[in-house]
Amino acid sequence: YTEKTHQASIIHLDKNEKLKGLQHLDLLYQAILKKIVLRLTYRSFKARAASEVIFHPFILKEYNNRWFLIGVVGDKPQILTFALDRIINVDYDLDIPYRNENFNGDLYYKNTVGVTVLDEKHIQEIILKIDKSNAPYVITKPFHATQEVLETQTDGSVIVKLQVHINFELERLILGFGDAIEVMQPRLLRKRIRKKLEAAVSKYNN
């Protein structure tokens, strides 16, 4: 019995022992800290085979118990996101100058739920209605930093507003609340969520 094991029993962190790629964390952290270019062997879910890319790492980001590496490939301008569990191998390349672009993660993700950052045209005002039983959870743990409460209704439900990209993670967040949440605006998102819920219900009608 040690103090360390005693502390471990008091604080329990959510983790997935089967999550791949975590062995790369320290190496990637050091590369970012020391501004070193990487040769990554990566295979996305859509790719048939892995490929090697020259990658300039900017930050590491954790979302929903998964880790992601954010940076740029070669001399291309697009910011890319690589899931650590899809990285097969990591090597340093000390011969290639690092692209020191002073990337600001807070600014990059300021209108994003999760890690999927879209064009600015996809940033919209999202109005959600949360039922009475879930309102305290959404107020004390906001969906996003842009969240603000617009109204508390007589039945105890609340209307909240977000200013975010409409991306996959936002949709999953909304769907995760089931019947406790209603998308009021925009109409496109409301329609999309309704279709997904109808498709889900149809699986239980068969």
Side-chain angles (χ1 to χ4, degrees), residues 1-13:
Y1 180 80
T2 64
E3 184 179 352
K4 185 175 182 180
T5 57
H6 178 59
Q7 290 174 344
S9 65
I10 294 174
I11 300 175
H12 182 270
L13 300 177

Side-chain angles (χ1 to χ4, degrees), residues 20-58:
K20 297 179 180 179
L22 296 182
Q23 71 273 18
H24 301 311
L25 264 177
D26 185 59
L27 195 153
L28 296 173
Y29 176 85
Q30 292 299 325
I32 295 170
L33 187 66
K34 298 173 182 177
K35 302 185 184 301
I36 297 174
V37 176
L38 300 170
R39 286 187 178 271
L40 297 180
T41 305
Y42 186 82
R43 182 184 178 186
S44 69
F45 286 119
K46 297 179 181 179
R48 292 184 177 181
S51 59
E52 185 181 85
V53 296
I54 303 299
F55 198 77
H56 301 253
F58 292 161

